[in-house]
Amino acid sequence: MAIIKCPECGHEISDKAPFCPSCGVAIAGKVVECPKCGKVYFSELSECPQCHYKRPVADKTPIVENDNAVNTQETGKTTEVEIVKPKEVNEPKEVNNEQPVGANNPEETSDENLKTPRNSSRNNKIIIGAVVAIVAVVIGIGCYFYYSIQSDKELQAYNYAMASNDPQVLQSYLDQYSDAPEAHLDSIQSHLDLIKKTQQDWTNVMISNSKSALEDYIAQHPDSPYKAIAIHKIDSIDWQTAQQQNTVEALELYIEQHSDGEHVEDANQMINSLNSKTIQPEERLMVNSIYGGFLKSLGDKDEEALTSFVNPLLTNFLGKTNATRSDVVTFMHKIYKSDVKSMAWKSLGDYTINKKNVGDNQYEYSVAFSAIQTIVGQDDNATEVRYKITSTLNNEGRISDFNMVRLAE
């Protein structure tokens, strides 16, 4: 098998290739090489297109008669036969030159005997040449397809290995295709080295079990197959911290850092539970403001302000069920007797507050506190009376239940 240039397109190919892979023209058995200049051209041409050497035609081989010997010469696919006859010996001429054909004519018998071997030898050589050419073409085609199949298998194995993160797959490629293209071998080896380093770094992170180490690993290996596990471990560490602190602030921080975290729902439930039990500073200020305003308007005889602090319908007001705002106003006028010059109410600020969740971030507050009533009579004498007040604020911030008991002096 030799490498030649395609007579059609000049592409370098094997002389045994059935077709040129570049232009598709038939090659094996269809081209010859000029014995003079080495030009490869199609065998259907009678002469070389470069040096114009004319090829001898096999079935029109000239026969040249020379003396002394019979020589056979084969050039390319053309066979030339040269018959050499013995030198003539001067003999006396006979009067009668006519001789019968057959055994009595040795010259004719000799010529006939020479013709048969010559034709037979030429035919045998043509047959042998044809068989050899066919075998060569078959072998060439077989080699072509074999190497083509092997090349396809190597390419498929290379693509599969490059897409894999399994070190065994990459090492298997290196062992099986050690004669693969150097570029493929280098790529697979680099990929294998990177995977091994990634695995070693992951082992170190797992040993440390540190949140910062996990975060550094993700930053250094964003495409690592262990990235999801690292994110899960960070989520678990932050959730454990939030649980241990057990505060609304810690739980809200977890949700902020892990909006898609595994424990967001649990965090919200814990926040609701804590909010329902824990009175925040702003809630305590709200309670103080509402009851302080209510008591002040009660002492100022300010009906409009007084009714703004109560619900239109109270479940209970000083023992009366389903009381209205009018009932509250009536009470205010009732406590102002004829001997009262002025009155003032003041909360002592000793609030006991309990929360009840009545909806999504909606709470009802049960409040208990002490208050002092200061009464100034017409004689300008002041009297103080202490009360214990229990009340309820609904989720709209209005008093929906109100009772008070006078404390003994």
Side-chain angles (χ1 to χ4, degrees):
M1 182 177 70
I3 301 301
I4 63 172
K5 288 188 176 181
C6 175
E8 183 70 19
C9 64
H11 183 76
E12 290 189 351
I13 56 173
S14 170
D15 61 347
K16 304 304 181 183
F19 300 97
C20 174
S22 179
C23 65
V25 72
I27 297 298
K30 300 294 184 179
V31 297
V32 295
E33 182 178 356
C34 179
K36 291 189 68 177
C37 66
K39 172 71 175 180
V40 176
Y41 61 94
F42 294 111
S43 58
E44 63 186 13
L45 300 177
S46 61
E47 64 178 28
C48 174
Q50 181 168 296
C51 66
H52 303 292
Y53 169 76
K54 293 186 177 181
R55 290 189 296 111
V57 182
D59 57 355
K60 294 183 180 180
T61 303
I63 300 176
V64 182
E65 294 186 355
N66 293 329
D67 295 332
N68 298 330
V70 177
N71 297 329
T72 301
Q73 180 180 4
E74 181 174 339
T75 304
K77 292 185 179 180
T78 305
T79 305
E80 296 179 1
V81 179
E82 182 180 38
I83 301 177
V84 182
K85 296 178 64 178
K87 293 183 178 180
E88 294 183 356
V89 180
N90 294 329
E91 295 180 352
K93 295 182 179 180
E94 296 183 1
V95 176
N96 188 5
N97 292 331
E98 295 181 0
Q99 296 181 357
V101 178
N104 293 331
N105 191 341
E107 184 177 355
E108 185 175 351
T109 303
S110 176
D111 291 341
E112 193 69 28
N113 291 336
L114 285 173
K115 289 180 180 178
T116 301
R118 181 187 67 184
N119 294 334
S120 177
S121 175
R122 183 180 67 180
N123 292 336
N124 288 340
K125 289 183 177 181
I126 292 174
I127 294 172
I128 293 173
V131 171
V132 170
I134 293 173
V135 171
V137 169
V138 172
I139 293 175
I141 294 174
C143 291
Y144 171 80
F145 282 107
Y146 172 78
Y147 288 111
S148 178
I149 292 172
Q150 292 300 313
S151 177
D152 289 343
K153 288 177 63 178
E154 183 276 330
L155 182 59
Q156 292 177 1
Y158 169 76
N159 291 332
Y160 177 75
M162 286 299 293
S164 174
N165 288 318
D166 188 345
Q168 293 183 352
V169 173
L170 288 115
Q171 188 60 54
S172 175
Y173 172 88
L174 294 174
D175 296 339
Q176 186 175 355
Y177 298 99
S178 58
D179 56 347
E182 186 175 355
H184 286 190
L185 294 174
D186 290 344
S187 297
I188 294 296
Q189 187 63 55
S190 298
H191 189 33
L192 179 60
D193 293 342
L194 179 60
I195 290 176
K196 288 182 177 179
K197 184 179 184 304
T198 301
Q199 289 182 333
Q200 183 59 49
D201 290 348
W202 176 246
T203 300
N204 296 336
V205 168
M206 291 296 291
I207 293 174
S208 69
N209 196 32
S210 164
K211 177 183 176 180
S212 60
L214 288 164
E215 291 174 337
D216 291 342
Y217 177 85
I218 293 174
Q220 295 172 6
H221 305 285
D223 299 324
S224 169
Y226 305 111
K227 180 179 179 180
I229 301 176
I231 293 175
H232 166 75
K233 290 186 70 65
I234 292 173
D235 183 273
S236 298
I237 291 173
D238 286 346
W239 173 240
Q240 184 177 7
T241 301
Q243 283 183 307
Q244 290 174 348
Q245 294 181 3
N246 195 31
T247 64
V248 173
E249 292 78 13
L251 292 164
E252 288 178 343
L253 178 61
Y254 167 81
I255 295 174
E256 179 181 349
Q257 293 177 340
H258 304 277
S259 58
D260 296 327
E262 300 175 19
H263 305 283
V264 169
E265 184 176 350
D266 295 334
N268 283 321
Q269 290 179 356
M270 287 187 65
I271 289 173
N272 290 335
S273 177
L274 287 172
N275 284 335
S276 65
K277 297 176 181 178
T278 305
I279 304 301
Q280 304 300 322
E282 58 271 19
E283 293 175 312
R284 187 170 293 276
L285 287 174
M286 176 194 69
V287 169
N288 184 61
S289 174
I290 292 173
Y291 285 103
F294 175 80
L295 293 177
K296 184 177 184 302
S297 60
L298 187 64
D300 294 340
K301 295 181 67 175
D302 187 342
E303 294 184 6
E304 183 178 356
L306 181 67
T307 55
S308 68
F309 290 104
V310 298
N311 204 48
L313 183 66
L314 290 80
T315 56
N316 180 65
F317 182 76
L318 299 176
K320 182 178 182 179
T321 59
N322 297 324
T324 65
R325 286 176 173 175
S326 297
D327 295 324
V328 178
V329 172
T330 300
F331 165 74
M332 179 186 68
H333 289 296
K334 184 177 180 180
I335 61 177
Y336 270 90
K337 297 180 179 180
S338 58
D339 59 344
V340 174
K341 184 178 181 179
S342 65
M343 185 183 304
W345 292 80
K346 180 181 178 181
S347 168
L348 296 181
D350 55 345
Y351 294 102
T352 300
I353 306 171
N354 292 315
K355 294 170 61 175
K356 179 181 179 182
N357 192 339
V358 294
D360 186 18
N361 293 325
Q362 300 292 318
Y363 301 98
E364 183 180 89
Y365 301 88
S366 297
V367 183
F369 63 98
S370 301
I372 295 178
Q373 178 191 32
T374 302
I375 303 173
V376 179
Q378 296 294 341
D379 56 0
D380 293 330
N381 289 326
T383 305
E384 289 187 351
V385 182
R386 180 172 295 195
Y387 292 90
K388 183 68 175 181
I389 298 174
T390 57
S391 181
T392 301
L393 286 179
N394 62 19
N395 59 343
E396 295 179 352
R398 288 192 175 92
I399 299 172
S400 61
D401 183 279
F402 189 87
N403 285 286
M404 62 181 182
V405 177
R406 182 172 181 169
L407 298 177
E409 297 295 336

